[in-house]
PDB file of all heavy atoms in Angstrom:
ATOM      1  N   TYR A  91      13.402   8.696   4.979  1.00 97.00           N
ATOM      2  CA  TYR A  91      13.391   9.721   6.025  1.00 97.00           C
ATOM      3  C   TYR A  91      14.563   9.552   6.998  1.00 97.00           C
ATOM      4  O   TYR A  91      15.118  10.544   7.474  1.00 97.00           O
ATOM      5  CB  TYR A  91      12.063   9.663   6.775  1.00 97.00           C
ATOM      6  CG  TYR A  91      11.911  10.746   7.806  1.00 97.00           C
ATOM      7  CD1 TYR A  91      11.620  12.048   7.429  1.00 97.00           C
ATOM      8  CD2 TYR A  91      12.061  10.465   9.155  1.00 97.00           C
ATOM      9  CE1 TYR A  91      11.485  13.053   8.382  1.00 97.00           C
ATOM     10  CE2 TYR A  91      11.920  11.454  10.104  1.00 97.00           C
ATOM     11  CZ  TYR A  91      11.629  12.750   9.710  1.00 97.00           C
ATOM     12  OH  TYR A  91      11.501  13.736  10.660  1.00 97.00           O
ATOM     13  N   GLU A  92      14.956   8.327   7.262  1.00 97.00           N
ATOM     14  CA  GLU A  92      16.026   8.049   8.218  1.00 97.00           C
ATOM     15  C   GLU A  92      17.372   7.796   7.550  1.00 97.00           C
ATOM     16  O   GLU A  92      18.346   7.483   8.225  1.00 97.00           O
ATOM     17  CB  GLU A  92      15.619   6.855   9.078  1.00 97.00           C
ATOM     18  CG  GLU A  92      14.383   7.150   9.908  1.00 97.00           C
ATOM     19  CD  GLU A  92      13.839   5.942  10.642  1.00 97.00           C
ATOM     20  OE1 GLU A  92      14.274   4.809  10.365  1.00 97.00           O
ATOM     21  OE2 GLU A  92      12.957   6.138  11.493  1.00 97.00           O
ATOM     22  N   SER A  93      17.446   7.988   6.235  1.00 97.00           N
ATOM     23  CA  SER A  93      18.671   7.663   5.499  1.00 97.00           C
ATOM     24  C   SER A  93      19.789   8.682   5.718  1.00 97.00           C
ATOM     25  O   SER A  93      19.555   9.851   6.017  1.00 97.00           O
ATOM     26  CB  SER A  93      18.379   7.585   3.991  1.00 97.00           C
ATOM     27  OG  SER A  93      18.135   8.872   3.451  1.00 97.00           O
ATOM     28  N   THR A  94      21.003   8.200   5.557  1.00 96.00           N
ATOM     29  CA  THR A  94      22.180   9.065   5.590  1.00 96.00           C
ATOM     30  C   THR A  94      22.119  10.077   4.455  1.00 96.00           C
ATOM     31  O   THR A  94      22.463  11.245   4.647  1.00 96.00           O
ATOM     32  CB  THR A  94      23.458   8.207   5.458  1.00 96.00           C
ATOM     33  OG1 THR A  94      23.475   7.262   6.518  1.00 96.00           O
ATOM     34  CG2 THR A  94      24.707   9.068   5.491  1.00 96.00           C
ATOM     35  N   GLU A  95      21.655   9.633   3.299  1.00 95.00           N
ATOM     36  CA  GLU A  95      21.586  10.523   2.136  1.00 95.00           C
ATOM     37  C   GLU A  95      20.679  11.721   2.405  1.00 95.00           C
ATOM     38  O   GLU A  95      21.004  12.844   2.049  1.00 95.00           O
ATOM     39  CB  GLU A  95      21.077   9.753   0.899  1.00 95.00           C
ATOM     40  CG  GLU A  95      22.005   8.676   0.417  1.00 95.00           C
ATOM     41  CD  GLU A  95      21.802   7.331   1.115  1.00 95.00           C
ATOM     42  OE1 GLU A  95      20.997   7.245   2.062  1.00 95.00           O
ATOM     43  OE2 GLU A  95      22.460   6.367   0.694  1.00 95.00           O
ATOM     44  N   TYR A  96      19.529  11.478   3.018  1.00 97.00           N
ATOM     45  CA  TYR A  96      18.619  12.581   3.325  1.00 97.00           C
ATOM     46  C   TYR A  96      19.056  13.359   4.564  1.00 97.00           C
ATOM     47  O   TYR A  96      18.707  14.525   4.720  1.00 97.00           O
ATOM     48  CB  TYR A  96      17.181  12.056   3.510  1.00 97.00           C
ATOM     49  CG  TYR A  96      16.209  13.149   3.873  1.00 97.00           C
ATOM     50  CD1 TYR A  96      15.997  14.231   3.028  1.00 97.00           C
ATOM     51  CD2 TYR A  96      15.502  13.105   5.073  1.00 97.00           C
ATOM     52  CE1 TYR A  96      15.111  15.248   3.364  1.00 97.00           C
ATOM     53  CE2 TYR A  96      14.614  14.109   5.418  1.00 97.00           C
ATOM     54  CZ  TYR A  96      14.416  15.177   4.563  1.00 97.00           C
ATOM     55  OH  TYR A  96      13.542  16.187   4.902  1.00 97.00           O
ATOM     56  N   GLY A  97      19.848  12.758   5.425  1.00 97.00           N
ATOM     57  CA  GLY A  97      20.237  13.379   6.693  1.00 97.00           C
ATOM     58  C   GLY A  97      20.854  14.759   6.543  1.00 97.00           C
ATOM     59  O   GLY A  97      20.556  15.661   7.332  1.00 97.00           O
ATOM     60  N   ARG A  98      21.702  14.947   5.559  1.00 95.00           N
ATOM     61  CA  ARG A  98      22.340  16.262   5.352  1.00 95.00           C
ATOM     62  C   ARG A  98      21.292  17.315   5.006  1.00 95.00           C
ATOM     63  O   ARG A  98      21.291  18.416   5.562  1.00 95.00           O
ATOM     64  CB  ARG A  98      23.386  16.153   4.260  1.00 95.00           C
ATOM     65  CG  ARG A  98      24.117  17.433   4.005  1.00 95.00           C
ATOM     66  CD  ARG A  98      25.280  17.219   3.052  1.00 95.00           C
ATOM     67  NE  ARG A  98      25.770  18.503   2.605  1.00 95.00           N
ATOM     68  CZ  ARG A  98      26.195  18.754   1.391  1.00 95.00           C
ATOM     69  NH1 ARG A  98      26.249  17.807   0.490  1.00 95.00           N
ATOM     70  NH2 ARG A  98      26.605  19.956   1.063  1.00 95.00           N
ATOM     71  N   ALA A  99      20.387  16.979   4.102  1.00 96.00           N
ATOM     72  CA  ALA A  99      19.323  17.907   3.727  1.00 96.00           C
ATOM     73  C   ALA A  99      18.397  18.171   4.914  1.00 96.00           C
ATOM     74  O   ALA A  99      18.013  19.311   5.178  1.00 96.00           O
ATOM     75  CB  ALA A  99      18.531  17.348   2.554  1.00 96.00           C
ATOM     76  N   LYS A 100      18.054  17.133   5.635  1.00 97.00           N
ATOM     77  CA  LYS A 100      17.154  17.258   6.793  1.00 97.00           C
ATOM     78  C   LYS A 100      17.717  18.227   7.819  1.00 97.00           C
ATOM     79  O   LYS A 100      16.982  19.048   8.385  1.00 97.00           O
ATOM     80  CB  LYS A 100      16.921  15.884   7.418  1.00 97.00           C
ATOM     81  CG  LYS A 100      15.947  15.868   8.570  1.00 97.00           C
ATOM     82  CD  LYS A 100      15.792  14.444   9.064  1.00 97.00           C
ATOM     83  CE  LYS A 100      14.917  14.369  10.277  1.00 97.00           C
ATOM     84  NZ  LYS A 100      14.859  13.013  10.839  1.00 97.00           N
ATOM     85  N   ALA A 101      19.016  18.174   8.057  1.00 97.00           N
ATOM     86  CA  ALA A 101      19.654  19.094   9.018  1.00 97.00           C
ATOM     87  C   ALA A 101      19.481  20.549   8.570  1.00 97.00           C
ATOM     88  O   ALA A 101      19.252  21.431   9.401  1.00 97.00           O
ATOM     89  CB  ALA A 101      21.129  18.749   9.178  1.00 97.00           C
ATOM     90  N   ILE A 102      19.565  20.787   7.274  1.00 97.00           N
ATOM     91  CA  ILE A 102      19.371  22.153   6.757  1.00 97.00           C
ATOM     92  C   ILE A 102      17.919  22.571   6.950  1.00 97.00           C
ATOM     93  O   ILE A 102      17.641  23.696   7.384  1.00 97.00           O
ATOM     94  CB  ILE A 102      19.777  22.242   5.273  1.00 97.00           C
ATOM     95  CG1 ILE A 102      21.282  22.015   5.135  1.00 97.00           C
ATOM     96  CG2 ILE A 102      19.374  23.590   4.680  1.00 97.00           C
ATOM     97  CD1 ILE A 102      21.763  21.850   3.707  1.00 97.00           C
ATOM     98  N   ARG A 103      16.980  21.676   6.644  1.00 96.00           N
ATOM     99  CA  ARG A 103      15.562  22.007   6.839  1.00 96.00           C
ATOM    100  C   ARG A 103      15.272  22.332   8.287  1.00 96.00           C
ATOM    101  O   ARG A 103      14.588  23.308   8.598  1.00 96.00           O
ATOM    102  CB  ARG A 103      14.665  20.845   6.375  1.00 96.00           C
ATOM    103  CG  ARG A 103      13.181  21.146   6.606  1.00 96.00           C
ATOM    104  CD  ARG A 103      12.277  20.044   6.088  1.00 96.00           C
ATOM    105  NE  ARG A 103      12.581  18.716   6.568  1.00 96.00           N
ATOM    106  CZ  ARG A 103      12.233  18.232   7.758  1.00 96.00           C
ATOM    107  NH1 ARG A 103      11.595  18.981   8.631  1.00 96.00           N
ATOM    108  NH2 ARG A 103      12.538  16.993   8.083  1.00 96.00           N
ATOM    109  N   GLU A 104      15.804  21.551   9.189  1.00 97.00           N
ATOM    110  CA  GLU A 104      15.556  21.780  10.613  1.00 97.00           C
ATOM    111  C   GLU A 104      16.147  23.100  11.097  1.00 97.00           C
ATOM    112  O   GLU A 104      15.633  23.707  12.025  1.00 97.00           O
ATOM    113  CB  GLU A 104      16.102  20.615  11.429  1.00 97.00           C
ATOM    114  CG  GLU A 104      15.299  19.342  11.213  1.00 97.00           C
ATOM    115  CD  GLU A 104      15.902  18.122  11.864  1.00 97.00           C
ATOM    116  OE1 GLU A 104      17.123  18.116  12.158  1.00 97.00           O
ATOM    117  OE2 GLU A 104      15.151  17.138  12.058  1.00 97.00           O
TER     118      GLU A 104
END
Side-chain angles (χ1 to χ4, degrees):
Y91 184 76
E92 297 173 349
S93 71
T94 302
E95 294 87 355
Y96 178 60
R98 182 172 168 218
K100 183 179 176 185
I102 294 170
R103 178 177 53 80
E104 291 173 339

